[in-house]
Amino acid sequence: HLSLKNFSGEIELLAYSLLSNHFHLLIKQKSPDGIDRFMNALATRYSVYFNRHYKRVGPLWQGVYKAVSVESGNQLLWLSNYIHRNPLLKLKITFDHWPEINWPFSLPEYLGQRKTDWIKPEEILSYFKKSAPRADYQDFMSTNLDPFILKRIALDLEE
């Protein structure tokens, strides 16, 4: 039996997107090994659940998770854009049509359409106009991703 641990004092989840064969998490680390411990617990718990549910044994993941260290505010903003845009790219739809999909990602928290206590969009929204950060973020999401920037922030460009 796995004991449940709350990682709220060690990490903050800034953005996420869950896809059919992978996921993206934008996590702010608050303790020296918070992300590593969280990812280990997440991978272990999900593997146990999946193996029990589908009556299988053995490893579920191909390897350890991949991570990029965020070095600047600009990189942080573009990374959030990439994470929120990833399902749209997979479905080959434009940003304007995102409300038509029911996708597990954190964009609704950024646009003020949903409030989830454990999603923390405030840090990223603080880079936008104080009078209308959500509207400003929505405009930012409509901006095309620069391929040069994308290569510096994403690890899964073969998608």
Side-chain angles (χ1 to χ4, degrees), residues 9-106:
E10 298 179 54
I11 64 162
E12 287 183 350
L13 183 59
L14 304 183
Y16 74 91
S17 181
L18 308 178
L19 291 99
S20 61
N21 62 349
H22 69 284
F23 57 89
H24 297 277
L25 304 176
L26 181 51
I27 298 173
K28 180 177 182 176
Q29 183 166 266
K30 295 168 66 176
S31 67
D33 61 348
I35 291 175
D36 194 42
R37 292 176 354 87
F38 169 74
M39 290 303 297
N40 185 301
L42 177 67
T44 300
R45 289 179 191 159
Y46 186 73
S47 295
V48 169
Y49 157 78
F50 190 91
N51 283 344
R52 283 183 184 158
H53 184 75
Y54 293 103
K55 297 177 179 38
R56 65 180 298 280
V57 295
L60 185 59
W61 309 102
Q62 287 181 329
V64 297
Y65 67 93
K66 298 175 187 173
V68 171
S69 179
V70 176
E71 305 294 334
S72 70
N74 191 44
Q75 183 185 11
L76 179 68
L77 296 179
W78 282 106
L79 190 54
S80 74
N81 183 303
Y82 173 74
I83 288 171
H84 288 141
R85 191 183 293 261
N86 205 253
L88 309 178
L89 295 171
K90 291 287 182 201
L91 297 172
K92 295 180 174 49
I93 63 172
T94 64
F95 175 74
D96 297 335
H97 295 287
W98 85 264
E100 300 167 15
I101 64 170
N102 183 16
W103 202 273
F105 65 153
S106 57

Side-chain angles (χ1 to χ4, degrees), residues 130-149:
K130 300 296 181 219
S131 60
R134 295 180 190 288
D136 208 19
Y137 189 82
Q138 183 166 338
D139 289 343
F140 173 64
M141 282 298 302
S142 299
T143 305
N144 287 330
L145 284 168
D146 182 321
F148 176 74
I149 293 172

